[in-house]
Amino acid sequence: MDTSRPFPHPYCMIRTKLVGFDGLAKEIGIPARTLRSLWMKKKIPGVRLGHRTLVFDPERVRTALDKFEVRAVGQTQ
């Protein structure tokens, strides 16, 4: 038994659709290249499953991107 991690990774606990850069680009509507640079800048969350495999939860990515939303000046709520 592996004791290096006392509890499972959060992605293992929930049943959600995980997608790669191309699937995320189609789902969110942002080019895959832009998403790749956002991931490299650590602006969006993702899980590395191997040397070249990255997967994303689209809902968590949308939540992260909502933090960067700029509202118009003078707009209330």
Side-chain angles (χ1 to χ4, degrees), residues 15-64:
R15 296 184 189 269
T16 184
K17 182 173 93 174
L18 299 177
V19 295
F21 281 114
D22 293 332
L24 186 62
K26 288 178 186 175
E27 188 141 341
I28 293 185
I30 297 174
R33 188 170 182 162
T34 302
L35 292 169
R36 189 175 309 269
S37 45
L38 287 171
W39 182 79
M40 291 178 74
K41 293 177 185 176
K42 302 197 185 305
K43 303 287 185 184
I44 59 173
V47 178
R48 184 177 287 277
L49 295 179
H51 175 67
R52 294 171 44 164
T53 306
L54 285 164
V55 291
F56 302 91
D57 177 3
E59 292 304 316
R60 290 188 67 184
V61 171
R62 280 191 190 100
T63 303

